[in-house]
Amino acid sequence: NGNAANPSCSGIEGILEAYHKSLKSVQLYGPTNFAPVVNHVARAAAAVPDGSQYFVLLIITDGVISDMAQTKEAIVNAAKLPMSIIIVGVGQAEFDGKSGAGPGPGAAGG
């Protein structure tokens, strides 16, 4: 949402607002490292041990994941936390999973 101190969005409307705002200010370029943001959201989810909050990380990317091994590790480590990770590929990059970026076992679309 552009606010590093409070990077949350509320509902679909909040997500769309943050997306439209980011289109005006974000420059997309490589490398495309997902592990740091996955770990950041995982820390936030782990900080709510009573499960009263659920986190959804939506990543919209125009590039192939550069830190695949670290990203896979971060996702595995976050698997038991109250969070979901959605990665949407846009543009001309190859998102077919041949580089190992595809969905894992049990993932939707896999």
Side-chain angles (χ1 to χ4, degrees):
N1 69 3
N3 182 349
N6 183 15
S8 299
C9 296
S10 182
I12 298 298
E13 294 81 16
I15 293 170
L16 289 173
E17 180 182 332
Y19 174 71
H20 289 292
K21 181 179 176 183
S22 71
L23 287 177
K24 299 174 187 172
S25 62
V26 172
Q27 254 187 333
L28 301 175
Y29 60 92
T32 305
N33 296 317
F34 291 169
V37 73
V38 171
N39 288 328
H40 179 79
V41 175
R43 284 191 297 275
V48 186
D50 66 358
S52 63
Q53 294 182 32
Y54 191 83
F55 297 78
V56 178
L57 172 59
L58 172 62
I59 300 173
I60 301 172
T61 180
D62 72 340
V64 176
I65 301 171
S66 301
D67 63 340
M68 183 57 68
Q70 296 89 342
T71 297
K72 285 181 178 180
E73 182 179 354
I75 291 170
V76 168
N77 291 339
K80 293 185 179 181
L81 295 172
M83 66 180 285
S84 292
I85 302 167
I86 303 166
I87 301 173
V88 178
V90 297
Q92 302 300 315
E94 293 291 328
F95 297 103
D96 61 6
K98 291 180 184 174
S99 66

Coordinates of all heavy atoms in Angstrom, one line a residue:
N1 N 0.8 -1.2 0.0 CA 0.0 0.0 0.0 C 0.9 1.3 0.0 O 0.3 2.4 0.0 CB -1.0 0.0 1.2 CG -0.3 0.1 2.5 OD1 0.9 0.3 2.6 ND2 -1.1 0.1 3.6
G2 N 2.2 1.1 0.0 CA 3.1 2.3 0.0 C 3.4 2.8 1.4 O 4.2 3.7 1.5
N3 N 2.9 2.2 2.4 CA 3.2 2.7 3.8 C 4.0 1.6 4.5 O 3.4 0.6 5.0 CB 1.8 2.9 4.5 CG 2.0 3.5 5.9 OD1 3.1 3.4 6.4 ND2 1.0 3.9 6.5
A4 N 5.3 1.8 4.6 CA 6.1 0.8 5.2 C 5.8 0.6 6.7 O 6.0 -0.5 7.2 CB 7.6 1.2 5.0
A5 N 5.3 1.6 7.4 CA 5.0 1.5 8.8 C 3.7 0.7 9.0 O 3.6 0.1 10.1 CB 4.9 2.9 9.4
N6 N 2.8 0.7 8.1 CA 1.6 -0.1 8.2 C 1.2 -0.6 6.8 O 0.3 0.0 6.1 CB 0.5 0.8 8.8 CG -0.8 0.1 9.0 OD1 -0.8 -1.2 8.9 ND2 -1.9 0.8 9.1
P7 N 1.8 -1.7 6.4 CA 1.6 -2.2 5.0 C 0.4 -3.0 4.8 O 0.4 -3.9 4.0 CB 2.9 -3.0 4.8 CG 3.3 -3.5 6.1 CD 2.9 -2.4 7.1
S8 N -0.6 -2.8 5.5 CA -1.8 -3.6 5.4 C -2.9 -3.0 4.5 O -3.0 -1.8 4.4 CB -2.5 -3.8 6.8 OG -1.6 -4.5 7.7
C9 N -3.7 -3.8 4.0 CA -4.8 -3.4 3.2 C -6.1 -4.1 3.8 O -6.0 -5.3 4.2 CB -4.7 -3.9 1.7 SG -3.4 -3.1 0.8
S10 N -7.2 -3.5 3.7 CA -8.4 -4.0 4.3 C -9.4 -4.4 3.1 O -9.9 -3.5 2.4 CB -9.1 -3.1 5.2 OG -10.2 -3.7 5.8
G11 N -9.6 -5.7 2.9 CA -10.6 -6.1 1.9 C -10.1 -5.9 0.5 O -9.0 -5.4 0.2
I12 N -11.0 -6.3 -0.4 CA -10.7 -6.3 -1.8 C -10.5 -4.8 -2.3 O -9.6 -4.5 -3.0 CB -11.8 -6.9 -2.7 CG1 -11.9 -8.4 -2.3 CG2 -11.6 -6.7 -4.2 CD1 -10.6 -9.2 -2.7
E13 N -11.3 -3.9 -1.7 CA -11.2 -2.5 -2.0 C -9.9 -1.9 -1.7 O -9.3 -1.2 -2.4 CB -12.3 -1.7 -1.3 CG -13.7 -2.0 -1.8 CD -14.3 -3.3 -1.1 OE1 -13.8 -3.7 -0.1 OE2 -15.3 -3.8 -1.6
G14 N -9.3 -2.3 -0.5 CA -8.0 -1.9 -0.1 C -6.9 -2.4 -1.0 O -6.0 -1.7 -1.3
I15 N -7.1 -3.6 -1.4 CA -6.1 -4.2 -2.3 C -6.1 -3.5 -3.6 O -5.0 -3.1 -4.2 CB -6.3 -5.7 -2.5 CG1 -6.1 -6.5 -1.2 CG2 -5.5 -6.3 -3.6 CD1 -6.5 -7.9 -1.2
L16 N -7.3 -3.3 -4.2 CA -7.4 -2.6 -5.5 C -6.8 -1.1 -5.4 O -6.1 -0.7 -6.3 CB -8.8 -2.6 -6.0 CG -9.3 -3.9 -6.4 CD1 -10.8 -3.8 -6.8 CD2 -8.5 -4.4 -7.6
E17 N -7.1 -0.5 -4.3 CA -6.6 0.9 -4.1 C -5.1 0.9 -4.0 O -4.4 1.7 -4.7 CB -7.2 1.5 -2.8 CG -6.7 2.9 -2.5 CD -7.3 3.4 -1.2 OE1 -8.4 3.0 -0.7 OE2 -6.6 4.2 -0.5
A18 N -4.5 0.0 -3.3 CA -3.0 -0.1 -3.2 C -2.4 -0.5 -4.6 O -1.4 0.1 -4.9 CB -2.6 -1.2 -2.2
Y19 N -3.1 -1.3 -5.3 CA -2.6 -1.7 -6.6 C -2.6 -0.5 -7.6 O -1.6 -0.2 -8.2 CB -3.5 -2.8 -7.2 CG -3.1 -3.2 -8.6 CD1 -1.9 -3.9 -8.9 CD2 -4.0 -2.9 -9.7 CE1 -1.6 -4.2 -10.2 CE2 -3.6 -3.2 -11.0 CZ -2.5 -3.8 -11.3 OH -2.1 -4.2 -12.6
H20 N -3.7 0.2 -7.6 CA -3.8 1.4 -8.5 C -2.8 2.5 -8.1 O -2.2 3.1 -8.9 CB -5.2 1.9 -8.5 CG -6.2 1.0 -9.3 ND1 -6.1 0.8 -10.6 CD2 -7.2 0.3 -8.8 CE1 -7.0 0.0 -11.0 NE2 -7.7 -0.4 -9.9
K21 N -2.6 2.6 -6.8 CA -1.6 3.6 -6.3 C -0.2 3.2 -6.7 O 0.6 4.0 -7.1 CB -1.7 3.7 -4.8 CG -0.8 4.7 -4.2 CD -1.0 4.8 -2.7 CE 0.0 5.7 -2.0 NZ -0.1 5.8 -0.6
S22 N 0.1 1.9 -6.6 CA 1.4 1.4 -6.9 C 1.8 1.5 -8.4 O 2.9 1.7 -8.8 CB 1.6 0.0 -6.5 OG 0.9 -0.9 -7.3
L23 N 0.7 1.4 -9.3 CA 1.0 1.6 -10.7 C 1.6 2.9 -11.0 O 2.3 3.0 -12.0 CB -0.3 1.4 -11.5 CG -0.9 0.0 -11.6 CD1 -2.2 0.0 -12.3 CD2 0.1 -1.0 -12.2
K24 N 1.3 3.9 -10.2 CA 1.8 5.3 -10.5 C 3.2 5.5 -9.9 O 3.9 6.4 -10.3 CB 0.9 6.3 -9.9 CG -0.5 6.3 -10.4 CD -1.5 7.2 -9.7 CE -2.9 7.0 -10.2 NZ -3.8 7.7 -9.4
S25 N 3.7 4.6 -9.0 CA 4.9 4.9 -8.4 C 6.0 3.8 -8.4 O 7.1 4.1 -8.2 CB 4.7 5.3 -6.9 OG 4.1 4.2 -6.2
V26 N 5.6 2.6 -8.8 CA 6.5 1.5 -8.7 C 7.1 1.2 -10.1 O 6.4 1.2 -11.1 CB 5.8 0.2 -8.2 CG1 6.7 -1.0 -8.4 CG2 5.3 0.4 -6.8
Q27 N 8.4 1.1 -10.1 CA 9.1 0.7 -11.4 C 9.5 -0.8 -11.2 O 10.2 -1.2 -10.3 CB 10.4 1.5 -11.6 CG 10.3 2.5 -12.6 CD 11.6 3.2 -12.9 OE1 12.5 3.3 -12.0 NE2 11.8 3.7 -14.1
L28 N 9.1 -1.6 -12.2 CA 9.3 -3.0 -12.1 C 10.7 -3.3 -12.8 O 10.9 -2.9 -13.9 CB 8.2 -3.8 -12.8 CG 6.8 -3.6 -12.2 CD1 5.8 -4.3 -13.0 CD2 6.8 -4.1 -10.7
Y29 N 11.6 -4.0 -12.1 CA 12.8 -4.4 -12.7 C 13.4 -5.5 -11.8 O 12.9 -5.8 -10.7 CB 13.8 -3.2 -12.7 CG 14.1 -2.6 -11.4 CD1 15.2 -3.0 -10.6 CD2 13.3 -1.5 -10.9 CE1 15.5 -2.4 -9.4 CE2 13.6 -1.0 -9.7 CZ 14.7 -1.4 -8.9 OH 14.9 -0.8 -7.7
G30 N 14.4 -6.2 -12.3 CA 15.0 -7.3 -11.6 C 16.2 -6.9 -10.7 O 16.6 -5.7 -10.8
P31 N 16.6 -7.8 -9.9 CA 16.2 -9.1 -9.8 C 14.8 -9.2 -9.0 O 14.5 -8.2 -8.3 CB 17.3 -9.8 -8.9 CG 17.9 -8.7 -8.2 CD 17.8 -7.5 -9.0
T32 N 14.1 -10.3 -9.1 CA 12.8 -10.5 -8.5 C 13.0 -11.4 -7.3 O 13.0 -12.6 -7.5 CB 11.8 -11.0 -9.5 OG1 11.8 -10.1 -10.6 CG2 10.4 -11.1 -8.9
N33 N 13.2 -10.8 -6.1 CA 13.4 -11.6 -4.9 C 12.2 -11.6 -4.0 O 11.8 -10.5 -3.6 CB 14.6 -11.0 -4.1 CG 15.9 -11.2 -4.9 OD1 16.2 -12.2 -5.5 ND2 16.7 -10.1 -4.9
F34 N 11.6 -12.8 -3.8 CA 10.4 -12.9 -3.1 C 10.6 -13.3 -1.6 O 9.8 -13.0 -0.7 CB 9.4 -13.9 -3.7 CG 8.8 -13.5 -5.0 CD1 8.2 -14.4 -5.7 CD2 8.9 -12.2 -5.5 CE1 7.6 -14.1 -6.9 CE2 8.4 -11.9 -6.7 CZ 7.7 -12.8 -7.4
A35 N 11.7 -14.0 -1.3 CA 11.9 -14.4 0.1 C 11.8 -13.3 1.1 O 11.2 -13.5 2.2 CB 13.2 -15.2 0.2
P36 N 12.4 -12.2 0.9 CA 12.3 -11.1 1.9 C 10.9 -10.7 2.3 O 10.6 -10.6 3.5 CB 13.1 -9.9 1.3 CG 14.1 -10.6 0.4 CD 13.3 -11.7 -0.2
V37 N 10.0 -10.6 1.3 CA 8.7 -10.2 1.6 C 7.9 -11.3 2.2 O 7.0 -11.1 3.1 CB 8.0 -9.6 0.3 CG1 7.6 -10.6 -0.7 CG2 6.7 -8.8 0.7
V38 N 8.1 -12.6 1.8 CA 7.5 -13.7 2.4 C 7.9 -13.8 3.8 O 7.0 -14.0 4.7 CB 7.8 -15.0 1.6 CG1 7.3 -16.2 2.4 CG2 7.2 -15.0 0.2
N39 N 9.1 -13.7 4.1 CA 9.6 -13.7 5.5 C 9.0 -12.6 6.3 O 8.7 -12.8 7.5 CB 11.1 -13.7 5.6 CG 11.7 -15.0 5.1 OD1 11.2 -16.1 5.3 ND2 12.9 -14.9 4.4
H40 N 8.9 -11.4 5.7 CA 8.4 -10.2 6.5 C 6.9 -10.5 6.9 O 6.5 -10.3 8.0 CB 8.4 -9.0 5.6 CG 7.8 -7.8 6.2 ND1 8.5 -7.0 7.1 CD2 6.6 -7.2 6.1 CE1 7.8 -6.0 7.5 NE2 6.6 -6.1 6.9
V41 N 6.1 -11.0 6.0 CA 4.7 -11.3 6.3 C 4.6 -12.5 7.3 O 3.8 -12.5 8.2 CB 3.9 -11.5 5.0 CG1 2.4 -12.0 5.3 CG2 3.9 -10.3 4.2
A42 N 5.5 -13.4 7.1 CA 5.5 -14.6 8.0 C 5.8 -14.1 9.5 O 5.2 -14.6 10.4 CB 6.5 -15.6 7.6
R43 N 6.7 -13.2 9.6 CA 7.0 -12.7 10.9 C 5.8 -12.0 11.5 O 5.5 -12.1 12.7 CB 8.2 -11.7 10.9 CG 9.5 -12.4 10.8 CD 10.7 -11.4 11.0 NE 10.8 -10.4 10.0 CZ 11.4 -10.5 8.8 NH1 12.0 -11.6 8.5 NH2 11.4 -9.5 8.0
A44 N 5.1 -11.2 10.7 CA 3.8 -10.6 11.2 C 2.8 -11.6 11.6 O 2.1 -11.5 12.6 CB 3.3 -9.6 10.1
A45 N 2.6 -12.7 10.8 CA 1.7 -13.7 11.1 C 2.1 -14.5 12.4 O 1.2 -14.8 13.2 CB 1.5 -14.7 9.9
A46 N 3.4 -14.7 12.5 CA 3.8 -15.4 13.7 C 3.7 -14.6 15.0 O 3.6 -15.1 16.1 CB 5.3 -15.8 13.5
A47 N 3.6 -13.3 14.8 CA 3.4 -12.4 16.0 C 2.0 -12.4 16.5 O 1.8 -11.7 17.6 CB 3.9 -11.0 15.6
V48 N 1.1 -13.1 15.9 CA -0.3 -13.1 16.3 C -0.6 -14.6 16.7 O -1.3 -15.3 15.9 CB -1.3 -12.6 15.2 CG1 -2.7 -12.6 15.8 CG2 -0.8 -11.3 14.7
P49 N -0.1 -15.1 17.8 CA -0.1 -16.5 18.1 C -1.6 -17.0 18.4 O -1.8 -18.2 18.3 CB 0.7 -16.6 19.4 CG 0.8 -15.3 20.0 CD 0.7 -14.3 18.8
D50 N -2.5 -16.1 18.7 CA -3.9 -16.6 19.0 C -4.7 -16.8 17.8 O -5.8 -17.2 17.9 CB -4.6 -15.6 20.0 CG -4.8 -14.2 19.3 OD1 -4.4 -14.0 18.1 OD2 -5.4 -13.3 20.0
G51 N -4.1 -16.5 16.6 CA -4.8 -16.8 15.3 C -6.0 -15.8 15.1 O -6.8 -16.1 14.2
S52 N -6.0 -14.7 15.7 CA -7.1 -13.8 15.6 C -7.0 -13.0 14.3 O -8.0 -12.3 13.9 CB -7.2 -12.8 16.7 OG -6.0 -12.0 16.8
Q53 N -5.9 -13.1 13.6 CA -5.7 -12.4 12.3 C -5.2 -13.4 11.3 O -4.5 -14.3 11.6 CB -4.7 -11.2 12.4 CG -5.2 -10.1 13.3 CD -4.1 -9.0 13.3 OE1 -3.4 -8.7 12.3 NE2 -4.0 -8.3 14.4
Y54 N -5.6 -13.2 10.0 CA -5.2 -14.0 8.9 C -4.6 -13.1 7.9 O -5.1 -12.0 7.6 CB -6.3 -14.8 8.3 CG -5.9 -15.8 7.3 CD1 -5.5 -17.1 7.8 CD2 -5.8 -15.6 6.0 CE1 -5.0 -18.1 6.9 CE2 -5.4 -16.6 5.1 CZ -5.0 -17.8 5.6 OH -4.6 -18.8 4.7
F55 N -3.4 -13.5 7.3 CA -2.6 -12.6 6.4 C -2.7 -13.2 5.0 O -2.6 -14.4 4.8 CB -1.2 -12.5 6.9 CG -1.0 -11.9 8.2 CD1 -1.3 -12.5 9.4 CD2 -0.6 -10.5 8.3 CE1 -1.2 -11.9 10.6 CE2 -0.5 -9.9 9.5 CZ -0.8 -10.6 10.7
V56 N -2.9 -12.4 4.0 CA -2.8 -12.8 2.6 C -1.8 -11.9 2.0 O -1.9 -10.7 1.9 CB -4.2 -12.6 1.9 CG1 -4.1 -12.9 0.5 CG2 -5.3 -13.4 2.6
L57 N -0.8 -12.5 1.4 CA 0.3 -11.9 0.7 C 0.0 -12.0 -0.8 O 0.0 -13.1 -1.3 CB 1.7 -12.4 1.0 CG 2.8 -12.0 0.2 CD1 3.0 -10.4 0.3 CD2 4.1 -12.7 0.6
L58 N -0.3 -10.9 -1.4 CA -0.5 -10.9 -2.9 C 0.7 -10.3 -3.6 O 1.0 -9.1 -3.3 CB -1.8 -10.1 -3.2 CG -2.0 -9.9 -4.7 CD1 -2.2 -11.2 -5.5 CD2 -3.3 -9.0 -4.9
I59 N 1.4 -11.1 -4.4 CA 2.5 -10.6 -5.1 C 2.2 -10.6 -6.6 O 1.8 -11.6 -7.2 CB 3.8 -11.5 -4.9 CG1 4.2 -11.5 -3.4 CG2 4.9 -11.0 -5.7 CD1 5.3 -12.5 -3.1
I60 N 2.3 -9.4 -7.2 CA 2.0 -9.2 -8.6 C 3.4 -9.0 -9.2 O 4.0 -8.0 -8.9 CB 1.0 -8.1 -8.9 CG1 -0.3 -8.4 -8.2 CG2 0.9 -8.0 -10.4 CD1 -1.3 -7.3 -8.3
T61 N 3.9 -9.8 -10.1 CA 5.2 -9.7 -10.6 C 5.3 -9.8 -12.1 O 4.4 -10.4 -12.8 CB 6.1 -10.8 -10.0 OG1 7.4 -10.7 -10.5 CG2 5.6 -12.2 -10.4
D62 N 6.3 -9.1 -12.7 CA 6.5 -9.2 -14.1 C 7.8 -10.0 -14.5 O 8.3 -9.9 -15.6 CB 6.5 -7.8 -14.8 CG 7.8 -7.0 -14.4 OD1 8.5 -7.4 -13.4 OD2 8.1 -6.1 -15.2
G63 N 8.3 -10.6 -13.5 CA 9.6 -11.4 -13.7 C 9.6 -12.7 -13.0 O 8.8 -13.0 -12.1
V64 N 10.5 -13.6 -13.5 CA 10.7 -14.9 -12.9 C 11.4 -14.7 -11.6 O 12.2 -13.8 -11.4 CB 11.5 -15.8 -13.9 CG1 11.8 -17.1 -13.3 CG2 10.8 -15.9 -15.2
I65 N 11.1 -15.5 -10.6 CA 11.6 -15.4 -9.3 C 13.2 -15.7 -9.4 O 13.6 -16.7 -9.9 CB 11.0 -16.5 -8.4 CG1 9.5 -16.2 -8.3 CG2 11.6 -16.4 -7.0 CD1 8.7 -17.3 -7.6
S66 N 13.9 -14.7 -8.8 CA 15.4 -14.8 -8.9 C 16.0 -15.6 -7.7 O 17.0 -16.2 -7.9 CB 16.0 -13.4 -8.8 OG 15.5 -12.6 -9.9
D67 N 15.3 -15.6 -6.6 CA 15.8 -16.3 -5.4 C 14.9 -17.5 -5.1 O 14.4 -17.6 -4.0 CB 15.9 -15.3 -4.2 CG 14.5 -14.8 -3.8 OD1 13.5 -14.8 -4.6 OD2 14.4 -14.4 -2.6
M68 N 14.8 -18.4 -6.1 CA 13.9 -19.5 -6.0 C 14.1 -20.4 -4.7 O 13.2 -20.7 -4.0 CB 14.0 -20.4 -7.3 CG 13.0 -21.5 -7.3 SD 11.3 -21.0 -7.1 CE 11.0 -20.2 -8.6
A69 N 15.4 -20.8 -4.5 CA 15.6 -21.6 -3.3 C 15.2 -21.0 -2.0 O 14.6 -21.6 -1.2 CB 17.1 -22.0 -3.3
Q70 N 15.6 -19.7 -1.9 CA 15.2 -19.0 -0.6 C 13.7 -18.8 -0.5 O 13.2 -18.8 0.6 CB 15.9 -17.6 -0.6 CG 17.4 -17.7 -0.5 CD 18.1 -17.8 -1.9 OE1 17.5 -18.0 -2.9 NE2 19.4 -17.5 -1.9
T71 N 13.1 -18.5 -1.7 CA 11.6 -18.4 -1.7 C 10.9 -19.6 -1.3 O 10.0 -19.6 -0.5 CB 11.1 -17.9 -3.0 OG1 11.7 -16.6 -3.3 CG2 9.6 -17.8 -3.1
K72 N 11.3 -20.8 -1.8 CA 10.7 -22.1 -1.5 C 10.9 -22.3 0.0 O 10.0 -22.8 0.7 CB 11.4 -23.2 -2.3 CG 10.9 -23.2 -3.7 CD 11.6 -24.4 -4.4 CE 11.1 -24.5 -5.9 NZ 11.7 -25.6 -6.6
E73 N 12.1 -22.0 0.5 CA 12.4 -22.2 2.0 C 11.5 -21.3 2.8 O 10.9 -21.8 3.8 CB 13.8 -22.0 2.3 CG 14.2 -22.2 3.7 CD 15.6 -22.0 4.1 OE1 16.4 -21.7 3.1 OE2 16.0 -22.0 5.2
A74 N 11.3 -20.1 2.4 CA 10.5 -19.2 3.2 C 9.0 -19.6 3.1 O 8.3 -19.5 4.2 CB 10.6 -17.8 2.6
I75 N 8.5 -20.1 2.0 CA 7.2 -20.6 1.9 C 7.0 -21.9 2.8 O 6.0 -22.0 3.5 CB 6.8 -20.9 0.4 CG1 6.7 -19.6 -0.3 CG2 5.5 -21.7 0.3 CD1 6.6 -19.7 -1.8
V76 N 7.9 -22.8 2.7 CA 7.8 -24.0 3.6 C 7.8 -23.6 5.1 O 7.0 -24.1 5.8 CB 9.0 -25.0 3.3 CG1 9.0 -26.0 4.3 CG2 8.8 -25.6 1.9
N77 N 8.6 -22.6 5.5 CA 8.7 -22.2 6.8 C 7.4 -21.5 7.3 O 7.0 -21.5 8.5 CB 9.9 -21.3 7.1 CG 11.2 -22.0 7.0 OD1 11.3 -23.2 7.1 ND2 12.3 -21.3 6.7
A78 N 6.7 -20.9 6.3 CA 5.5 -20.2 6.6 C 4.2 -21.0 6.5 O 3.1 -20.6 6.9 CB 5.3 -19.0 5.7
A79 N 4.4 -22.3 6.1 CA 3.2 -23.1 5.8 C 2.3 -23.3 7.0 O 1.1 -23.5 6.8 CB 3.7 -24.5 5.3
K80 N 2.7 -23.3 8.2 CA 1.9 -23.6 9.4 C 1.3 -22.3 10.0 O 0.6 -22.3 11.0 CB 2.6 -24.4 10.4 CG 2.9 -25.8 9.9 CD 3.5 -26.7 10.9 CE 3.8 -28.0 10.3 NZ 4.3 -29.0 11.2
L81 N 1.6 -21.1 9.4 CA 1.2 -19.9 9.9 C -0.2 -19.5 9.3 O -0.5 -20.0 8.2 CB 2.2 -18.8 9.6 CG 3.6 -19.0 10.3 CD1 4.6 -18.0 9.7 CD2 3.4 -18.8 11.8
P82 N -0.9 -18.6 10.0 CA -2.2 -18.2 9.4 C -2.0 -17.2 8.3 O -2.2 -16.0 8.4 CB -2.9 -17.5 10.7 CG -1.7 -17.0 11.5 CD -0.6 -18.0 11.3
M83 N -1.6 -17.7 7.1 CA -1.3 -16.8 6.0 C -1.4 -17.6 4.7 O -1.2 -18.8 4.7 CB 0.0 -16.2 6.1 CG 1.2 -17.1 6.0 SD 2.8 -16.2 6.1 CE 3.0 -15.5 4.5
S84 N -1.8 -16.9 3.6 CA -1.8 -17.5 2.3 C -0.9 -16.6 1.4 O -0.8 -15.4 1.7 CB -3.2 -17.5 1.7 OG -4.0 -18.4 2.4
I85 N -0.3 -17.2 0.4 CA 0.6 -16.5 -0.5 C 0.0 -16.7 -1.9 O -0.2 -17.8 -2.4 CB 2.0 -17.0 -0.5 CG1 2.5 -16.8 1.0 CG2 2.9 -16.2 -1.5 CD1 3.8 -17.6 1.2
I86 N -0.3 -15.6 -2.6 CA -0.8 -15.6 -4.0 C 0.2 -14.9 -4.8 O 0.5 -13.7 -4.6 CB -2.2 -14.9 -4.1 CG1 -3.2 -15.6 -3.1 CG2 -2.7 -15.0 -5.5 CD1 -4.4 -14.8 -2.9
I87 N 0.7 -15.6 -5.9 CA 1.7 -14.9 -6.8 C 1.0 -14.9 -8.2 O 0.6 -15.9 -8.7 CB 3.0 -15.7 -6.8 CG1 3.7 -15.8 -5.4 CG2 4.0 -15.1 -7.8 CD1 4.9 -16.6 -5.3
V88 N 0.9 -13.7 -8.7 CA 0.3 -13.5 -10.0 C 1.4 -13.0 -11.0 O 2.0 -11.9 -10.7 CB -0.9 -12.5 -10.0 CG1 -1.5 -12.3 -11.3 CG2 -1.9 -13.0 -9.0
G89 N 1.6 -13.7 -12.1 CA 2.6 -13.2 -13.1 C 1.9 -12.4 -14.2 O 0.8 -12.8 -14.7
V90 N 2.4 -11.3 -14.5 CA 1.9 -10.4 -15.5 C 3.0 -10.1 -16.5 O 4.2 -10.1 -16.2 CB 1.3 -9.1 -15.0 CG1 0.1 -9.4 -14.1 CG2 2.4 -8.3 -14.3
G91 N 2.6 -9.8 -17.8 CA 3.6 -9.5 -18.8 C 4.1 -10.7 -19.6 O 3.4 -11.7 -19.6
Q92 N 5.3 -10.5 -20.2 CA 5.8 -11.5 -21.1 C 6.7 -12.5 -20.6 O 7.2 -13.4 -21.3 CB 6.5 -10.7 -22.3 CG 5.6 -9.7 -23.0 CD 4.4 -10.3 -23.7 OE1 4.6 -11.3 -24.3 NE2 3.3 -9.7 -23.5
A93 N 7.0 -12.5 -19.3 CA 8.0 -13.4 -18.7 C 7.4 -14.8 -18.7 O 6.2 -15.0 -18.8 CB 8.4 -13.0 -17.3
E94 N 8.2 -15.8 -18.6 CA 7.8 -17.2 -18.6 C 7.4 -17.6 -17.2 O 8.2 -17.6 -16.3 CB 8.9 -18.1 -19.0 CG 9.3 -18.0 -20.5 CD 8.2 -18.5 -21.4 OE1 7.5 -19.5 -21.0 OE2 8.1 -18.0 -22.5
F95 N 6.1 -17.9 -17.0 CA 5.6 -18.3 -15.7 C 5.0 -19.7 -15.7 O 4.1 -20.0 -15.0 CB 4.5 -17.3 -15.3 CG 4.9 -15.9 -15.1 CD1 4.7 -14.9 -16.1 CD2 5.6 -15.5 -14.0 CE1 5.1 -13.6 -15.9 CE2 6.1 -14.2 -13.8 CZ 5.8 -13.3 -14.8
D96 N 5.6 -20.5 -16.6 CA 5.1 -21.9 -16.7 C 5.6 -22.9 -15.7 O 5.2 -24.0 -15.8 CB 5.3 -22.4 -18.2 CG 6.8 -22.5 -18.5 OD1 7.6 -22.2 -17.6 OD2 7.1 -22.8 -19.7
G97 N 6.5 -22.5 -14.8 CA 6.9 -23.4 -13.8 C 8.1 -24.2 -14.2 O 8.7 -25.0 -13.4
K98 N 8.6 -24.1 -15.4 CA 9.8 -24.9 -15.9 C 11.0 -24.6 -15.1 O 11.9 -25.4 -14.9 CB 10.0 -24.7 -17.4 CG 9.0 -25.3 -18.2 CD 9.2 -25.1 -19.7 CE 8.1 -25.6 -20.5 NZ 8.3 -25.3 -21.9
S99 N 11.1 -23.4 -14.5 CA 12.3 -23.0 -13.7 C 12.1 -23.4 -12.3 O 13.0 -23.1 -11.5 CB 12.5 -21.5 -13.8 OG 11.4 -20.8 -13.1
G100 N 11.1 -24.1 -12.0 CA 10.8 -24.5 -10.6 C 10.0 -23.6 -9.9 O 9.7 -23.7 -8.7
A101 N 9.4 -22.6 -10.6 CA 8.6 -21.5 -9.9 C 7.1 -21.9 -9.8 O 6.4 -21.2 -9.2 CB 8.7 -20.2 -10.7
G102 N 6.8 -23.1 -10.4 CA 5.4 -23.5 -10.4 C 4.9 -23.9 -9.1 O 5.6 -24.0 -8.1
P103 N 3.5 -24.2 -9.0 CA 2.9 -24.6 -7.8 C 3.5 -25.9 -7.3 O 3.8 -26.8 -8.1 CB 1.4 -24.6 -8.1 CG 1.3 -24.5 -9.6 CD 2.6 -24.1 -10.1
G104 N 3.6 -26.0 -6.0 CA 4.0 -27.2 -5.4 C 2.9 -28.2 -5.2 O 1.7 -27.9 -5.6
P105 N 3.2 -29.4 -4.6 CA 2.1 -30.4 -4.4 C 1.0 -29.8 -3.6 O 1.2 -29.1 -2.5 CB 2.8 -31.5 -3.6 CG 4.3 -31.2 -3.9 CD 4.4 -29.8 -4.1
G106 N -0.2 -30.0 -4.0 CA -1.4 -29.5 -3.2 C -1.8 -28.1 -3.5 O -2.8 -27.6 -3.0
A107 N -1.0 -27.4 -4.3 CA -1.3 -26.0 -4.6 C -2.3 -25.9 -5.7 O -2.4 -26.7 -6.6 CB 0.0 -25.2 -5.1
A108 N -3.2 -24.9 -5.6 CA -4.2 -24.7 -6.6 C -3.5 -24.4 -8.0 O -2.5 -23.7 -8.1 CB -5.1 -23.5 -6.3
G109 N -4.0 -25.1 -9.0 CA -3.5 -24.9 -10.3 C -2.3 -25.8 -10.6 O -1.8 -25.8 -11.7
G110 N -1.9 -26.6 -9.7 CA -0.7 -27.5 -9.9 C -1.1 -28.8 -10.4 O -2.2 -29.3 -10.4

